Amino acid sequence: MSTPIKSRPGKRPAASVEELFHARTEPVDGGHLRWTGYANKRGLALVRYAGSLHTALRIAFRIQHGREPVGHCSTDCGLPGCVAPAHVEDDATRTRNRAAYASLIGLDSPAEACRRGHAAAEHRRYRRDGRPYCLACNATAAETSA
């Protein structure tokens, strides 16, 4: 006769990083999610799972889009600390959405390159108000001012 398996006392380990994400958020009015878990000194919301650190925004992006984010993740909803998956954008979706907005309001630029010759297809980005800028030129300006 076999002996029954005893379960360990304490919390059951999470089955996935997404499960940990949902356990560390709470809904806020307007479809936002507030992060209730750990944040580092810079305020970056983090989850440790399977020996690795994951940012809450990258997890939220994967939940919403079913793919790994490209580049930096951020929200454009205006609520500081929001981690709602529907509000998170990566570099690619942010550029696409802002380019569409710029086109709608007549600010898109047909130029193939910036004034310094950086290819627009690779370096053009858009501010929240739809104005285009060159990512390479901005990086150069930031290095010289530091």
Side-chain angles (χ1 to χ4, degrees):
M1 185 167 165
S2 65
T3 58
I5 299 174
K6 293 182 181 179
S7 62
R8 291 183 180 162
K11 285 187 173 183
R12 175 185 62 84
S16 67
V17 71
E18 290 82 9
E19 185 180 317
L20 285 174
F21 172 86
H22 290 296
R24 289 164 171 75
T25 59
E26 64 182 20
V28 181
D29 290 341
H32 303 285
L33 277 181
R34 181 187 351 259
W35 182 251
T36 61
Y38 171 76
N40 67 10
K41 291 178 182 178
R42 292 182 14 222
L44 187 61
L46 297 169
V47 173
R48 182 174 298 279
Y49 180 76
S52 298
L53 279 176
H54 305 264
T55 68
L57 290 175
R58 291 182 75 82
I59 298 166
F61 184 88
R62 284 194 306 266
I63 290 169
Q64 181 70 21
H65 299 280
R67 68 173 176 83
E68 288 296 320
V70 176
H72 177 75
C73 287
S74 64
T75 58
D76 232 2
C77 64
L79 182 70
C82 178
V83 294
H87 299 176
V88 180
E89 299 176 325
D90 67 349
D91 285 342
T93 56
R94 187 172 32 261
T95 298
R96 182 197 67 221
N97 294 344
R98 289 182 180 181
Y101 176 68
S103 180
L104 286 171
I105 63 172
L107 290 178
D108 57 335
S109 171
E112 298 288 323
C114 74
R115 292 186 308 245
R116 293 188 179 150
H118 300 119
E122 183 180 352
H123 298 286
R124 182 179 295 141
R125 299 293 188 275
Y126 296 86
R127 291 183 171 77
R128 287 184 182 187
D129 64 4
R131 291 181 298 137
Y133 69 94
C134 176
L135 184 64
C137 290
N138 270 18
T140 303
E143 288 173 5
T144 58
S145 68

